[in-house]
Amino acid sequence: MQSAFMLLAAPGKAVALVRTDRGAMRWALAGAVLGLLTAVVVWAPAAWLAKAVASATNERLLLADARGSLWNGSARVILSPGEGSRDASELPQRLGWSLRPAWIDGGLAMRLTLDQSCCIKPGVPLTASFGMDRVTVRLPDATPEQPWIRWPAAWLAGLGTPWNTLAPDGVIAVSSQGFVFEGRGKTVKVNGMAQVELRDFSSRLAQVTPLGSYRMGLVGGSEAPQLILTTIQGPLQLSGQGSLGATRTQFRGEATAAPGSEAALANLLNIIGRRNGARSIISVG
């Protein structure tokens, strides 16, 4: 009775108490939500990343049997022609990853380190930073002699046509020097160089083994990043050039047989592109 009388006698204090209780409840609720969000981010399962990658690639790149978390995990890496297809190919070992937030060039970024003892140079992360309508990706420096990635070319057969018909064999080697890719709205800017080499390439469609080694380079420093295809060595001669754009990639090239290899490579040249005499024309975009 005395407590009730005191509250009636001092209504201002009662209102203050109610307001204080409501403020405390709001802070408690905000703290609980923040704690929940933090827990979700910290303990986000690797399966979430696998689902995002599959969705972004239309089921062509799959992180199967994903284990661990978004920040530290591993998975079997599979290439597939798409949802519902039975043709697929898998890398020889599980791929591990470590993802960490970072602050680069005054902005939020992520640092990704891949781990695969058979095929990836250890301890060389790539970074991606983000801004308003902008994303910047930096690849780690690596020489062709000691590439960043070395994957079996047979893995490409999982993409379906034409790779499953070619049944490629050999090694895919990825290297880069000072490579920075920046996408800003509908524009693309590239500095440095990245290159992919297909080494000791062979195919079940050709009687010649190996067919050769080839290099596709992406070179920046100009208005439109340039794509350049060259033959390092081999009876199958490939060459071409093009450009990379934000919405369109263009490439024109050709394939020919070295003298004395015309008959052995005729079937393969028919598949690679449109025949024009002794040449096979390759056109993209």
Side-chain angles (χ1 to χ4, degrees), residues 33-45 48 69-72 99 101 110:
V33 171
L34 181 60
L36 178 61
L37 290 176
T38 301
V40 168
V41 170
V42 171
W43 301 106
W48 288 9
S69 71
L70 171 69
W71 308 103
N72 291 283
L99 186 63
M110 301 300 292

Side-chain angles (χ1 to χ4, degrees), residues 38 51 76 96 115 155 160 162 194 205 211 260:
T38 301
K51 186 175 181 180
R76 296 161 44 216
D115 178 22
W155 187 47
L205 300 180
L211 291 165

Side-chain angles (χ1 to χ4, degrees), residues 70-73 96-100 111-115 125:
L70 171 69
W71 308 103
N72 291 283
W97 66 81
S98 173
L99 186 63
R100 294 289 182 271
R111 182 175 284 112
L112 173 65
T113 303
L114 301 177
D115 178 22

Side-chain angles (χ1 to χ4, degrees), residues 208 210-214 231-238 256-258 261 265:
V208 180
L211 291 165
S213 296
Y214 311 94
T231 298
I232 299 173
Q233 59 83 27
L236 176 65
Q237 302 286 300
L238 301 177
T256 59
S261 301
L265 297 179

Side-chain angles (χ1 to χ4, degrees), residues 165-166 203-207 261-273 275 280:
T165 302
L166 289 171
S203 169
R204 67 183 176 191
L205 300 180
Q207 302 173 19
S261 301
E262 293 88 351
L265 297 179
N267 189 37
L268 183 60
L269 289 174
N270 289 334
I271 293 174
I272 289 177
R275 287 301 293 266
S280 181

